[in-house]
Amino acid sequence: MKADALIIGGGLIGITTAHRLAKRGCSVALVEANEDVGLGANFANGAMLVPSQTMPWNSPGILPTLLRSIVTQNSALRIKPKAIPSLFKWGLHFLKNSKPYLHELHTRRLLELALFSMDIFEEYYKGYADQFEAKKCGTIKIYRDQPGLEAQIRSNRHLSEVGLDWEALTPDQTVEAEPHLQALAPQLAGGIRFSADVVADSRKFCQILRDDLVASGQIIHVSCQANELLMSGDRVIGARTTIGDIRAKNTILALGANTRKLAANDARSILVRPVKGYSVTYDTTGVNDLPSYPVIDEGMHVGIVPINGKLRAVGIAEFAGHDDTLSPKIIRQLDRLTKSVYPNLAQTLDGCKREPWTGFRPMSADGLPYIGETSSKGLWVNTGHGHLGWTLATGSAELLADLIMGKPTPLDASSYAVTRSH
C-alpha cells in the first residue's frame, strides 16, 4: 500500500499528527506496536494541558541537584547509575542549556508553542469535550516557601509579555479557591492560579481521533511493529513492518523516546532520552467531597488532579534508561506526597483502590521538541516534548502538518528544527 503520510507511533503525538494531516486531505497510514493507540506515555499521565508549566527542567543551577540525585535516590529528580553512560552527550547539552539566558529563551519558545497548541486544541474542545472529560478549570500551584513563590511571580511577569495568564493568591485566597487545602494552610506561603490550564483524558482523546480517522477512510494498524525504513537513494519512502512494506511520500516518526532507533542517520541530532514518570490513580467512586482544582505542589514536585471521578497523583522524574519496572518504593513516596498536600483525605485515600503506572517522557537536551524534517529526505519527526506532551500535542501536529504541506507556519519552526544548534 502507499499513502501520502505514514505515521509510526500511535501515541498522543502520532495520532494527533495523523489527524491534522488527514484534515488537509492527505491519505494517512498509522502503525502502532501496542494493541491500541494511546497506551504509551499518555496512558495515565498528568491529564493536564498546562501552558503554565513550560519551563524546561534544566533550570540554572541544576547540576548540584543532579549530582545529589545519583547518591540519595529520594529526590523528585533522580538518576540511576546504570543510565549514566547513555546520558553523557545528552547531559552535556542539558547542562549547557541551563545557562540563564538560554533557559529563559527556551521557556518563551515553549510557551509560544503551548499557547498556539491551546488555540488548536479549542477545535477539539468544542467538538468532543464531554467525550474526553475536558474541563477548563485552570490549575493552582501552591508554595510552602516565600522565596519560591516570589521567584515564580517574577518569572510570570516576564512571561506575561508572551501571553501567560496568571493570578497570585494569598494563603487565604488559595484555601478559598480549593477548600481541601485548609489543613495545609499554616504551611502555605501562597499560590498562583493559572486559569487557561485544562484537565482532559489524553487516552480517550487518542481513541476519539482513532475512530474519526477510521471513519474517514484512513488506515490504522495496531499490533504492528515498524522494523526499518525503506530507502530509495537518499530518500525515505516508507517502512518495513510486521505486516509488510508500507510506502509513503512522507514518513513521520512519533515514537517518543524510541525515535532514535529508526532514525539512525539522524541520531546525533535528535538528543532525546527517556525520563520515567509515575502516577497513582485513586478510585474515588462514591466519595462525595473531593478537590475540584488540579493542584501542583511546587516544593514537593507533585500534581494532584481530579479526573474521570478519580484522583490522580503524578510526580517523580527518573533517568533509568528504558527500564520500565514499576517501583513500589516510588509509588509509596507518591502516596505520601499526595497525603502531605491533602492530609484531611489520607484516611479516605487509604480506603480507595489504587492504579499505579509508569511511562517514559521523551526529554530533549534543550527542553524543546523536535518538529520537522530530518537530514534524510522524506523523513520527519515529532518528538522530545518531555513533560508537555499533552500540552503541546495539537500545536506540534499542526506545525508539522504545515511544514509537510509546504505552507507558511504561524510560529518560527526553526526553533524546533531537528538540525537546530544545541
Side-chain angles (χ1 to χ4, degrees):
M1 65 170 293
K2 187 169 183 178
D4 291 326
L6 167 62
I7 295 89
I8 303 175
L12 182 58
I13 300 299
I15 197 80
T16 311
T17 300
H19 199 259
R20 300 314 294 180
L21 283 167
K23 286 181 70 67
R24 285 164 166 75
C26 293
S27 60
V28 169
L30 182 145
V31 298
E32 166 55 44
N34 287 314
E35 60 269 23
D36 199 0
V37 300
L39 296 182
N42 60 283
F43 178 76
N45 64 8
M48 293 180 288
L49 294 89
V50 280
S52 63
Q53 305 297 315
T54 54
M55 286 189 294
W57 285 0
N58 53 347
S59 55
I62 189 133
L63 180 58
T65 300
L66 293 177
L67 294 176
R68 284 195 300 270
S69 75
I70 298 173
V71 178
T72 61
Q73 291 295 303
N74 62 358
S75 62
L77 178 63
R78 59 193 69 182
I79 302 175
K80 291 288 187 181
K82 64 181 180 181
I84 293 175
S86 69
L87 294 173
F88 185 72
K89 179 181 178 182
W90 181 95
L92 290 177
H93 288 280
F94 183 81
L95 292 174
K96 173 187 172 183
N97 283 281
S98 69
K99 295 176 182 177
Y101 79 95
L102 286 175
H103 188 263
E104 181 180 349
L105 174 63
H106 296 162
T107 297
R108 285 173 172 256
R109 287 176 174 170
L110 282 172
L111 179 56
E112 288 170 352
L113 180 57
L115 294 175
F116 171 63
S117 191
M118 297 306 290
D119 288 341
I120 305 301
F121 175 80
E122 185 68 18
E123 174 186 323
Y124 295 102
Y125 184 88
K126 289 178 178 177
Y128 306 105
D130 59 337
Q131 297 180 45
F132 65 103
E133 309 292 337
K135 296 180 180 179
K136 293 183 177 180
C137 54
T139 61
I140 294 177
K141 185 182 280 192
I142 61 173
Y143 294 82
R144 307 190 194 207
D145 67 290
Q146 193 66 31
L149 174 61
E150 291 175 356
Q152 184 67 69
I153 289 174
R154 286 194 299 271
S155 176
N156 288 353
R157 285 175 178 152
H158 289 296
L159 295 175
S160 295
E161 302 168 3
V162 184
L164 181 65
D165 187 8
W166 61 281
E167 174 191 5
L169 304 175
T170 66
D172 287 344
Q173 290 171 329
T174 304
V175 172
E176 182 181 358
E178 179 46 76
H180 277 280
L181 293 170
Q182 179 64 58
L184 197 65
Q187 302 177 43
L188 288 178
I192 299 176
R193 176 161 43 202
F194 299 96
S195 59
D197 292 353
V198 174
V199 168
D201 188 321
S202 61
R203 185 189 178 194
K204 289 185 178 180
F205 180 82
C206 289
Q207 293 169 337
I208 290 168
L209 268 55
R210 173 202 63 195
D211 294 346
D212 199 17
L213 285 165
V214 171
S216 66
Q218 309 300 338
I219 304 299
I220 295 181
H221 296 290
V222 296
S223 300
C224 177
Q225 179 75 44
N227 295 319
E228 62 177 304
L229 298 174
L230 299 174
M231 304 293 298
S232 176
D234 62 351
R235 185 174 186 86
V236 174
I237 57 170
R240 179 153 292 138
T241 78
T242 49
I243 63 165
D245 291 354
I246 301 177
R247 297 177 180 271
K249 295 178 184 177
N250 298 285
T251 301
I252 299 100
L253 301 183
L255 291 165
N258 292 317
T259 298
R260 289 159 47 92
K261 293 182 180 180
L262 276 180
N265 293 336
D266 299 278
R268 291 183 178 180
S269 299
I270 304 172
L271 297 178
V272 172
R273 293 294 182 272
V275 181
K276 200 171 175 183
Y278 289 81
S279 75
V280 178
T281 303
Y282 300 87
D283 187 349
T284 50
T285 304
V287 179
N288 295 323
D289 188 17
L290 286 171
S292 55
Y293 266 102
V295 169
I296 300 167
D297 188 325
E298 179 70 3
M300 297 297 180
H301 299 285
V302 62
I304 305 169
V305 188
I307 180 75
N308 297 340
K310 301 179 180 181
L311 205 61
R312 179 174 296 167
V314 292
I316 313 298
E318 185 179 40
F319 289 91
H322 289 274
D323 180 2
D324 62 357
T325 305
L326 190 64
S327 167
K329 180 180 178 181
I330 290 179
I331 295 301
R332 289 193 297 269
Q333 180 183 355
L334 201 49
D335 180 61
R336 289 194 298 271
L337 290 172
T338 304
K339 293 170 183 173
S340 78
V341 176
Y342 292 123
N344 61 309
L345 291 176
Q347 188 173 353
T348 299
L349 296 178
D350 282 339
C352 294
K353 181 181 177 181
R354 303 175 194 179
E355 301 173 37
W357 173 85
T358 187
F360 294 113
R361 308 177 182 102
M363 186 67 67
S364 69
D366 61 7
L368 299 172
Y370 293 95
I371 306 167
E373 192 170 23
T374 70
S375 59
S376 300
K377 296 177 182 178
L379 181 65
W380 307 75
V381 297
N382 196 354
T383 189
H385 300 80
H387 65 295
L388 294 168
W390 199 186
T391 305
L392 302 178
T394 53
S396 297
E398 181 78 357
L399 189 63
L400 184 59
D402 281 340
L403 290 169
I404 290 173
M405 300 299 290
K407 294 183 177 180
T409 58
L411 298 178
D412 180 4
S414 65
S415 299
Y416 319 103
V418 179
T419 54
R420 67 181 181 262
S421 173
H422 291 87

